[in-house]
Amino acid sequence: KGTKVRVGAVSVEWHGLLLSRDTMPDLPDGIHWSTAPVAGGFALEMTGTAPLDRFIDSEQALRNLLRIARAAELVSYSDPKKSVFRYAGIADGRLDACIFFAPPGTALPQREWAAGFLGRDITSTARLSLLSGLAPSGEAQQGPIVCSCFSVGIETISAAIRAKNLRNVAQIGAMLRAGTNCGSCIPELKKLLAAETDRLFEAV
Ligand code: FES
C-alpha cells in the first residue's frame, strides 16, 4: 500500500508553551501543536508560521488563549527586541495559566519547572521568577535540575543527603519531593546517594 504525500519546508515564525489548569483553547489555522499532561494541568507546545502579532493581537485574544476569567489579573513580560513575550493569568492570588513565546532557536522556560507554579499562590518573587524564566536568587545555587517534576537541583539534593544523612530515595522524596512523581529521576537520585556514601567512606 502506498499513499502519496507531499513534503515541504515550513517556515516557523515563533514557538510557544502554554501551561493551564483549564481546558484546551481553540487554536486558529496555521498553529502546529502537541499537548501533554503535567502536574496540575496540561502543557501545550505550539509553533506558528504567521507573525506572532496576528495570533495575539489583543488582550482579549490572550485571555481567550489562557482561558482566564474577566476578573483574573493578566501580567506580562515582553522583550520586543528579542521577540520574547510571557504572560500569566492569576486569579485569587493563584496561577491559572501562563504562556511563553520566543523565536525559533530561543529557549522557552522549562516545562515542568513552570508547571510547578500552576494552582499555587503566586508571591511577588514567584511572579518575577515565572515571567523572567529564572529561579529566585535563593534557589540559584541548586545546580542543574535532576528532578524536573519538582525542579530540584543536584546541589540541593546532595546537600540534603549530607545534612540529613539520607539513606534512600524515599527519604529524599519525603524531604524534597524529588522522585515522587514520574520517577524518571530515581536512577540519578540513587547515583547521588551512592556518590555521597563513597565520599563519606573516603573521608573516614
Ligand atoms: S523527574 Fe519526575 S519525579 Fe523526578
Side-chain angles (χ1 to χ4, degrees):
K1 270 197 278 186
T3 305
K4 281 189 182 172
V5 294
R6 196 170 57 187
V7 177
V10 172
S11 160
V12 171
E13 292 274 333
W14 52 267
H15 65 144
L17 169 66
L18 166 72
L19 296 157
S20 175
R21 303 169 69 198
D22 205 292
T23 49
M24 273 275 296
D26 292 329
L27 296 173
D29 291 343
I31 307 289
H32 302 271
W33 57 270
S34 66
T35 185
V38 292
F42 72 89
L44 177 69
E45 295 183 2
M46 300 167 272
T47 57
T49 53
L52 184 59
D53 55 9
R54 275 196 229 157
F55 182 43
I56 45 166
D57 55 0
S58 65
E59 179 178 329
Q60 192 55 50
L62 268 167
R63 286 181 174 272
N64 293 344
L65 200 53
L66 293 168
R67 296 182 70 89
I68 52 172
R70 187 185 289 221
E73 188 184 359
L74 179 66
V75 294
S76 64
Y77 163 91
S78 60
D79 184 344
K81 275 193 185 157
K82 294 184 178 163
S83 300
V84 168
F85 302 91
R86 298 177 182 147
Y87 305 91
I90 298 168
D92 297 326
R94 292 174 184 236
L95 180 71
D96 268 357
C98 55
I99 192 162
F100 311 112
F101 297 105
T106 299
L108 296 165
Q110 208 254 344
R111 188 172 83 176
E112 278 73 17
W113 171 78
F117 290 94
L118 280 178
R120 298 244 176 111
D121 286 339
I122 290 285
T123 61
S124 52
T125 310
R127 181 183 298 218
L128 199 64
S129 177
L130 184 67
L131 291 176
S132 68
L134 298 170
S137 55
E139 297 169 18
Q141 306 305 318
Q142 71 165 342
I145 297 294
V146 171
C147 177
S148 53
C149 287
F150 296 107
S151 297
V152 190
I154 192 168
E155 299 300 338
T156 305
I157 296 166
S158 297
I161 294 171
R162 287 196 292 271
K164 301 291 177 186
N165 202 20
L166 306 182
R167 296 298 169 106
N168 54 48
V169 168
Q171 289 176 333
I172 295 176
M175 188 169 174
L176 301 171
R177 299 177 74 200
T180 60
N181 189 36
C182 73
S184 65
C185 60
I186 287 177
E188 192 63 25
L189 297 180
K190 287 182 176 168
K191 277 190 207 163
L192 291 174
L193 282 162
E196 288 305 322
T197 306
D198 289 350
R199 200 187 57 81
L200 207 61
F201 281 123
E202 279 166 19
V204 174

